[in-house]
Structures are given as structure tokens and as C-alpha cells.
Amino acid sequence: MNGDPAASPPPPPTSPEDRWEAALVPNYGTPRLLLVRGSGCQVEDAAGRTYVDLLAGIAVNVLGHAHPAVVAAVQKQVARLAHTSNLYANGPSLRLAERLRDLAGGHKTLFLNSGTEANEAALKLCRRHAHATDRAQGVVLAFHGSFHGRTTGALALTGQPHHRTGFDPFPGQVIHVPFNDPGAIEAAFEAHDVVGAFAECIQGEGGVAPMTQEAADTLQKACQGHDALLCIDEVQTGIGRTGRFFAYEHHGLRPDAVTLAKGLGGGMPLGACLVAPRHAGLLGPGSHGCTFGGNAVAAAAGNAVLDVLERDGLIAGAGRLGALLAAELEANSLAWRGRGLLVGVPLDHDGAPKAVQAMEEAGYLVGQAGKRVVRLAPPLTIDGSTLLGAVPALADAVRRAGPLTA
Ligand code: PLP
């Protein structure tokens, strides 16, 4: 041990904040709350205060907290067989892949643990496609304002400079073009040999910004015309949040690859890259994989999520609740954008962090998407009165966050 043996050691930190700072890398900043339990749309912190959760672990807990179906599925599976590796099949992941195949119209599943890993897999698929078509120098197109994850391949796709600073050079030969600019998409496909393209139907982290139908149509046509794989990132928008299982259904897109995570495991870490059957062979045996991908407990939770979404009609419900929420936001003089239960409230100043804090003080958990957008992504199980009841508090929080004075 280093140091002066005579000096008495500093007292161990006792508050959660101090313990966090003493034990964790500071990449997330220090959280204000330590949450200890949740039930449905409510969570409780270590001081016993309860909050209505309108963020759901950033669009993860689609069935809320401790949903009985998820709890039962996880308990049953962990007691029976938790992990097999991919050297052996397990029932829950096989079943979940079959269900995703049916939902996506035939795509085959590669299971992973997170959104960033799902996008890494889709990026590798694009690179394999480039090689398979003798275009190894081809580029992958992504959009300004996008967010695809934090590992280096996904970060290469991410079109937000502040996430990228200090981590270059990036792999993957990625070019970025302005979001929702059909002319820029066409020009990029003319100027480059584009072998793949990544898009979010609603840029979540990038400010809850929906893709226009014209941009979606242009992208689809350009990908088809140039033999580029269309990869749609549904990590935040998928699993029914926008009122369809996949947000791309609203646009009539036909993606070659779809990436999922967040809501898929209902709170368990689970990601997936769904690949059109004609391209699935690009990732042949040994080409990709991960130890925990398709973990039986996470997949059992995923099956429970799909069961409840179907049984309780929660996907159509997300569309209906989203329309009610939008009307209530307008009635309270708040601007909004998004779809279903992925909603951003844009501010004309950098007050989103303050508004988030004011909501917390009022007993609501909400998020931000950048400094100018308050983000709502509640559980799909939320009831209308709880959801709409939050809007006056939000209007007040936004007022209190006020325009910043110079
Ligand atoms: N893609 C999108 C659209 C996301 O919103 C996120 C996370 O917010 C990711 C990818 C990365 O997912 P993960 O944090 O699970 O790696």
C-alpha cells in the first residue's frame, strides 16, 4: 500500500452521491436520485419519495416496473436455465426470434445485448455487403443529428459531434448528410458508392425529430437503386412505442436490417439485429457473435413483453394515448413533436435540464433530448389520467425553466 502509514485513512463516503463519485467513472455525471423500487408507472427513491415515471428507463420499461408477466417469466427461466451460450439453442430465444420474424415479415434475428451492439452488427452487415458486391471502398450513409450508440462503429454512424469529440478516427467509412433533406440524400448517392444507410424514423437523442415521408421515400428509392442496405434503427422507436410495432411501418419502408434493444427485454438487457433473409447469409458461421446474445432469461422477458403487448392491445393504445397527450400539450400551450408515446416538447432556450429537475421536484421523471427538448417516453401501460395529469406540471416546469437571461 502507498501513503503514510501513520496518517489515518479518509472516512468512507456515506451519501449516495459521494459513494457514486468515489466508485464510478464520471461518464454519466452523478445522478440526483437513487431509485430503490418500482411498480407500474411509479418508482420510489431511497428517501421514500415516489415519482410517476414518464421516461421508463429511457424508453425501456414498456410494461412499466415489475410487471407480473415479466417478473414471472424471469423468475421461472432463471430458476430453470439462465444461460446456454450460443453453442446450444434455448427455447425462449428460439421462440422470440420466430415471433420477431413474423412481426418483421420474414427477417432473421441476431441477438445481442444492447442498441449499440445491434448497430455494430448492422454496420458489419453493410461492410460484408460491400465486399460481396466488390465495392469494398463503398461508404455507409448516416444522418446529422442521429444517435446509434457509443461503441466505435455505432459512434462512427452517430451524427452528433459532441458525442464523437476525442474518439476519432472512426471505422466504417461513414458519411453524414443533413436529416430530412431529400436533395442531399440523392446528391450523396450520386457522389459516393453507398453500400448501406442508417436512419431513425424519429431521431430520439437528436431531439425527438421525426423523419419526413419525402425523406423516407427518397432514402428507400436511393437504397434500392444503388444496391445499398437500408438499416433502420428502431432501438428507441420499436416495440410499439409509436403506435406500430416498428416505426418504419408508418413510412411504408422495407428495411434490409432493423436494430432493436431498449423495450425488447422489458427491462432486461436484450438487443437484436433483424436481417432480411436474402442478406442473412452475409453473416455466416463465425462472422459475428457475443456470449450473452440470446440469453434465455432476457429472451423469456422479451417473450413476456410481446405476450402482454398483444394481449392488452398496448401498441394501438400507444397511438391513442399519444394523440390524447398531444392534444393536452397543445391545450397547455406546449409545442410537441414525435409519435405515439415518444414525444418531445421543444423549448426555444437551453432550459431542458432545468425543466427536467422541476418535474422531478413535482414528482415526475422525464428526460431531455439535448438541452432544448424535454422528452417523454412513458411505459405503454400508463393510464390516460396519469399521463394527462402530468401535463399541467410540465407546463409549469417549462415556465419555471424560463428563457435563460444572457
Ligand atoms: N440507437 C438509438 C436510436 C438509441 O436511442 C440508442 C440509445 O439511446 C442506441 C442506439 C444505443 O443503445 P444502447 O444504449 O442500448 O447501446
Side-chain angles (χ1 to χ4, degrees):
M1 292 289 241
N2 294 329
D4 175 2
S8 53
T14 51
S15 76
E17 291 86 354
D18 291 347
R19 286 173 57 204
W20 175 283
E21 282 168 15
L24 282 109
V25 172
N27 57 314
Y28 296 113
T30 307
R32 282 191 292 267
L33 303 180
L34 190 163
L35 300 180
V36 293
R37 63 175 62 81
S39 174
C41 295
Q42 280 220 330
V43 287
E44 185 183 321
D45 72 10
R49 199 158 176 243
T50 58
Y51 304 83
V52 175
D53 186 359
L54 300 178
L55 191 58
I58 319 184
V60 167
N61 302 308
V62 282
L63 303 185
H65 297 272
H67 191 285
V70 174
V71 171
V74 166
Q75 283 178 340
K76 190 168 158 203
Q77 192 59 42
V78 78
R80 184 178 172 145
L81 181 68
H83 179 75
T84 57
S85 86
N86 286 296
L87 297 174
Y88 311 97
N90 71 70
S93 71
L94 191 52
R95 172 95 186 95
L96 185 57
E98 288 170 341
R99 296 174 83 174
L100 292 171
R101 178 195 62 201
D102 295 346
L103 285 160
H107 283 38
K108 295 186 168 189
T109 291
L110 168 54
F111 282 118
L112 304 135
N113 306 294
S114 63
T116 201
E117 284 176 88
N119 285 321
E120 292 285 337
L123 183 58
K124 282 178 76 174
L125 185 79
C126 291
R127 299 282 17 132
R128 273 277 163 107
H129 177 62
H131 283 274
T133 53
D134 287 328
R135 298 145 76 204
Q137 297 310 313
V139 302
V140 173
L141 179 146
F143 289 105
H144 293 168
S146 64
F147 185 84
H148 297 291
R150 308 278 194 159
T151 50
T152 51
L155 199 52
L157 296 165
T158 291
Q160 298 189 54
H162 68 281
H163 290 305
R164 298 162 57 96
T165 305
F167 294 113
D168 56 319
F170 295 107
Q173 286 168 209
V174 178
I175 58 164
H176 290 94
V177 301
F179 189 50
N180 282 336
D181 184 338
I185 295 171
E186 282 167 352
F189 273 84
E190 288 312 317
H192 301 273
D193 183 7
V194 179
V195 296
F198 280 72
E200 297 156 88
C201 291
I202 300 174
Q203 289 191 335
E205 303 297 310
V208 194
M211 178 160 57
T212 63
Q213 186 62 44
E214 197 191 349
D217 290 342
T218 305
L219 186 63
Q220 175 78 66
K221 193 166 160 219
C223 284
Q224 247 166 305
H226 293 81
D227 193 13
L229 300 189
L230 176 58
C231 306
I232 297 296
D233 181 337
E234 294 269 358
V235 168
Q236 190 153 162
T237 50
I239 326 296
R241 176 156 296 284
T242 68
R244 298 279 184 91
F245 189 80
F246 300 105
Y248 70 71
E249 296 172 55
H250 296 288
H251 290 294
L253 289 169
R254 295 179 307 285
D256 298 296
V258 182
T259 55
L260 291 171
K262 288 194 182 280
L264 181 60
M268 296 295 288
L270 181 59
C273 177
L274 315 185
V275 183
R278 67 186 176 286
H279 299 301
L282 289 170
L283 296 180
S287 60
H288 197 55
C290 72
T291 298
F292 289 115
N295 171 270
V297 179
N303 280 309
V305 168
L306 297 192
D307 289 342
V308 177
L309 288 180
E310 283 165 21
R311 186 195 69 195
D312 295 351
L314 293 178
I315 299 179
R320 276 195 301 275
L321 282 171
L324 292 174
L325 175 61
E328 193 65 14
L329 290 168
E330 286 168 15
N332 281 266
S333 306
L334 290 168
W336 68 275
R337 59 189 185 221
R339 206 192 269 270
L341 291 179
L342 179 57
V343 171
V345 173
L347 314 179
D348 57 7
H349 53 80
D350 283 355
K354 273 194 180 172
V356 169
Q357 189 166 351
M359 279 298 272
E360 202 175 286
E361 284 157 15
Y364 294 97
L365 301 188
V366 299
Q368 56 189 79
K371 290 190 181 148
R372 294 187 156 226
V373 178
V374 177
R375 179 171 25 166
L376 308 179
L380 274 49
T381 49
I382 196 165
D383 65 274
S385 63
T386 304
L387 181 63
L388 302 188
V391 175
L394 180 58
D396 189 48
V398 165
R399 256 191 306 278
R400 283 165 57 197
L404 298 176
T405 46

